[in-house]
Amino acid sequence: MRIRPISLFVLAALGSLPALADTVIDNANGYTLNAKGDLVQFTALAFDDQGKIIAVGSGADVAAKAKNARRIDMQGRTVLPGLIDAHGHVFGLGQQLTQLDLFSSTSLEGAIKSIGDYARANANHAWIRGRGWNQENWKLGRFPLASELDAVVSDRPVWLERVDGHAGWANSRALKLAGITKSTPDPVGGKIMRDANGEATGVLVDAAQELVAKVLPRQTEAEGRVMLDRALQEIARVGLTSVHDAGIGVAEDRLYRAYADQGKLTARVYAMIGGTDKDFDELAKNGPLKDYGKGMYALRSVKLYSDGALGSRGAALIKPYSDEPHSHGLLFFKTAQMDAMMAKAMRKGYQVNVHAIGDAGNHQILDIYKKELGVTKSAAQRHRIEHAQVVTLEDIPRFKTLGIIPSMQPTHATSDKNMAETRVGPERIKGAYAWRSFLHQGSKIACGSDFPVEAPNPFFGIHAAVTRQDAQGQPVAGWYPNQAMSLKEAFRCFTLDAAYAGHQENSLGSLEAGKQADFIVIDRDLFRMPTYDIHKTGVLETWVAGKQVFKK
């Protein structure tokens, strides 16, 4: 990989900036991308007391802008631009960190033991709640049952979300509180898993989860603050300086603004309003919020859902599932309904970001974009498809021609590789997790993790993007390695292109004069290490707007 020293042109341009630096980061092994997308190196970085970068380059070049500045010696450690997660769920991460965690469970028996232990340790909890189970990892060949939960918790309702958030597992007490009986119909866009007699077995898929959600205790503001605090701590720890929060409501918006006002928002948040119903009507009264709290918060996009997830067979496919021939998955809305929601947000000036995993979901949304871009003339809003996970080979080029940003999560591929081809077969898999196909046609990919579905650590995502391997190095040659990214491409997807997907490429995504001093210090040289070890990268420090928000 060719790495350039930072250009004299960039340094010459600094002469037009009259400000002097407040802080200089010196003796660094620094890497960034420039405006052309070239990877360049630097040894010094200067920024002012407002957290804006004044100069980047060699120590000698930066010194002229750094008279009387405090100096921090990096001692040769590697400095990178702060990484950006273009699709996560901040309060979901906080919830995971404060409730029962089943992400690491490898068997039904192990999960049941964890649930029982948690219930006994939290005897004062009216509900037992958690997330992270994945029946594929348990090698069950089926979904878990309410009766299996009843065996360890029968005195209180239990509600456990699947790893992807697109299915939930309830015990009999929770099913009863939700009023779910043999005669309860499947809601539109959802499915109640049933036995041969038509009785609910305990798992609710996609929209059917709302039946339980309606009877859950309402989250208090104090609980929301605890979740946000925990999430922000974790986000800083893994080296994220900015996150795109994929679906919030009025309560979350209120907390974000309060934290920004109080100086407690330690990561930049680019939020998406969840849906176009009453919360949208309330939050969109004054139109898109492009900048709040000196660049710490923005609310200028909307998150919608076209379908479910592949693991729970809720993703909508054009042809039936290869491993369940009677099922096509679930389109959440008829095309006219989805069109109306997307058009409503577009006309109000919002970027529209639609979750689409299956090829039918992606096709539906691309068709609507084709129609509505012509009507609303809103291409400049940089609309997105979140996940773009299984796409027909014919539909991939439409992302480029329509100007739709594919917002993709590399670790989904390495997590799903054990079941994805079983779900869609050997032909459809050619358009699944197809990063190289999108990059080859010139699409900018905004990378993220979809935390807490996946771990928020961006180095896990860079590792998956480059190697197409899991943390155990499997498969040895990579899973469909022809779709892998180069290291520079993966780095760009988590920096400049993620910033572009949030209309923030002029202030974030690289370390250049005039941009925000968002950067991280890591424990190894990302660009001179074996790619198979990228996931082991540790973050030593995280800085946002020139302030240190994490130190190991």
Side-chain angles (χ1 to χ4, degrees):
M1 180 191 305
R2 185 183 178 196
I3 303 172
R4 304 181 182 184
I6 199 158
S7 69
L8 292 175
F9 172 80
V10 173
L11 291 169
L14 300 177
S16 63
L17 293 172
L20 291 176
D22 178 67
T23 303
V24 172
I25 302 296
D26 206 356
N27 193 23
N29 175 41
Y31 296 93
T32 188
L33 296 165
N34 62 18
K36 295 179 181 180
D38 298 321
L39 186 67
V40 296
Q41 283 190 279
F42 63 91
T43 58
L45 167 72
F47 52 89
D48 64 20
D49 59 2
Q50 299 300 306
K52 286 286 183 70
I53 297 173
I54 300 298
V56 186
S58 69
D61 290 324
V62 170
K65 290 285 181 180
K67 296 173 182 177
N68 302 317
R70 66 168 176 154
R71 309 185 80 84
I72 299 175
D73 187 349
M74 283 290 112
Q75 299 178 333
R77 293 177 299 176
T78 298
V79 175
L80 303 175
L83 300 177
I84 302 170
D85 191 308
H87 185 114
H89 303 273
V90 174
F91 287 86
L93 176 61
Q95 185 178 57
Q96 177 207 331
L97 294 169
T98 55
Q99 295 184 352
L100 173 60
D101 184 349
L102 294 173
F103 283 80
S104 60
S105 63
T106 57
S107 69
L108 174 62
E109 294 76 17
I112 291 294
K113 182 181 184 303
S114 296
I115 295 161
D117 291 345
Y118 182 87
R120 285 186 291 274
N122 293 277
N124 61 324
H125 288 194
W127 282 70
I128 299 301
R129 297 185 61 187
R131 181 169 178 163
W133 61 271
N134 184 352
Q135 82 284 357
E136 294 296 326
N137 291 342
W138 298 345
K139 306 293 190 292
L140 284 180
R142 62 170 175 84
F143 282 106
L145 306 172
S147 58
E148 290 162 333
L149 285 177
D150 295 342
V152 287
V153 188
S154 59
D155 62 325
R156 288 169 284 170
V158 179
W159 179 240
L160 308 169
E161 292 183 63
R162 192 180 184 276
V163 59
D164 55 17
H166 286 270
W169 178 20
N171 70 348
S172 295
R173 180 66 68 93
L175 292 174
K176 184 176 181 180
L177 284 172
I180 297 172
T181 67
K182 186 175 181 177
S183 60
T184 304
D186 287 349
V188 175
K191 184 177 183 180
I192 301 170
M193 303 300 291
R194 305 175 192 270
D195 62 21
N197 297 318
E199 299 287 354
T201 59
V203 169
L204 309 178
V205 180
D206 288 316
Q209 296 180 91
E210 287 300 312
L211 299 170
V212 169
K214 289 176 182 177
V215 298
L216 288 171
R218 293 193 62 155
Q219 179 183 300
T220 66
E221 181 175 320
E223 289 170 335
R225 286 180 177 273
V226 170
M227 290 178 188
L228 183 51
D229 288 342
R230 291 294 301 276
L232 289 172
Q233 290 168 8
E234 183 66 7
I235 285 165
R237 187 186 71 82
V238 298
L240 292 171
T241 57
S242 179
V243 296
H244 298 188
D245 195 340
I248 71 162
V250 170
E252 291 84 4
D253 171 73
R254 187 183 302 118
L255 277 179
Y256 278 140
R257 291 178 194 242
Y259 271 51
D261 291 339
Q262 297 160 16
K264 294 174 62 177
L265 203 52
T266 53
R268 301 180 193 279
V269 175
Y270 179 85
M272 313 174 199
I273 301 171
T276 55
D277 54 13
K278 63 179 183 179
D279 273 15
F280 175 81
D281 294 336
E282 173 67 24
L283 293 170
K285 283 179 179 177
N286 299 315
L289 180 68
K290 297 181 180 179
D291 185 353
Y292 186 87
K294 298 180 180 178
M296 293 306 297
Y297 180 55
L299 186 66
R300 63 182 300 182
S301 59
V302 169
K303 169 74 178 301
L304 299 170
Y305 287 86
S306 75
D307 65 350
L310 204 60
S312 52
R313 297 190 187 88
L317 300 181
I318 295 169
K319 294 180 179 179
Y321 275 83
S322 297
D323 60 348
E324 196 171 274
H326 63 276
S327 174
H328 287 75
L330 301 162
L331 275 176
F332 286 1
F333 301 98
K334 292 185 178 357
T335 297
Q337 294 173 295
M338 178 60 80
D339 190 337
M341 291 187 289
M342 292 171 65
K344 178 180 179 179
M346 289 177 181
R347 288 194 300 268
K348 288 283 286 185
Y350 286 85
Q351 178 191 57
V352 175
N353 305 334
V354 188
H355 163 118
I357 287 186
D359 54 12
N362 279 279
H363 186 77
Q364 179 196 54
I365 301 309
L366 288 168
D367 280 353
I368 296 172
Y369 275 136
K370 180 180 180 181
K371 175 193 170 188
E372 290 299 341
L373 283 168
V375 174
T376 63
K377 309 299 182 186
S378 63
Q381 287 154 227
R382 299 182 185 175
H383 304 301
R384 298 160 42 166
I385 287 183
E386 305 300 309
H387 310 307
Q389 204 160 291
V390 182
V391 186
T392 65
L393 296 179
E394 296 75 22
D395 273 341
I396 289 175
R398 299 176 71 198
F399 281 76
K400 178 63 176 174
T401 57
L402 293 171
I404 304 304
I405 297 170
S407 171
M408 306 174 83
Q409 299 75 45
T411 49
H412 279 342
T414 51
S415 292
D416 292 355
K417 61 184 170 54
N418 295 330
M419 62 83 181
E421 189 165 352
T422 303
R423 293 282 192 272
V424 302
E427 286 304 311
R428 284 182 291 196
I429 202 69
K430 295 175 183 177
Y433 315 90
W435 315 321
R436 172 57 46 204
S437 297
F438 281 101
L439 290 171
H440 181 71
Q441 69 186 17
S443 291
K444 295 179 188 290
I445 297 177
C447 276
S449 65
D450 200 11
F451 64 74
V453 177
E454 304 279 355
N457 190 324
F459 293 100
F460 294 177
I462 295 173
H463 173 265
V466 173
T467 66
R468 303 278 293 198
Q469 295 174 329
D470 59 24
Q472 289 70 49
Q474 296 299 315
V476 174
W479 186 63
Y480 288 94
N482 59 307
Q483 290 292 349
M485 298 185 196
S486 70
L487 179 53
K488 188 175 86 167
E489 288 168 339
F491 182 59
R492 180 175 179 128
C493 290
F494 277 96
T495 53
L496 271 181
D497 289 347
Y500 177 86
H503 298 269
Q504 296 170 323
E505 73 278 11
N506 292 324
S507 59
L508 306 178
S510 62
L511 298 173
E512 299 177 83
K515 287 193 171 187
Q516 296 283 351
D518 295 1
F519 60 91
I520 60 174
V521 184
I522 59 175
D523 63 359
R524 61 198 72 199
D525 189 329
L526 179 67
F527 294 94
R528 289 191 169 91
M529 63 180 289
T531 56
Y532 54 75
D533 277 342
I534 290 173
H535 67 284
K536 297 178 182 177
T537 301
V539 176
L540 303 174
E541 300 176 22
T542 301
W543 293 67
V544 176
K547 293 184 175 64
Q548 188 180 80
V549 297
F550 169 77
K551 183 172 183 178
K552 187 173 180 179

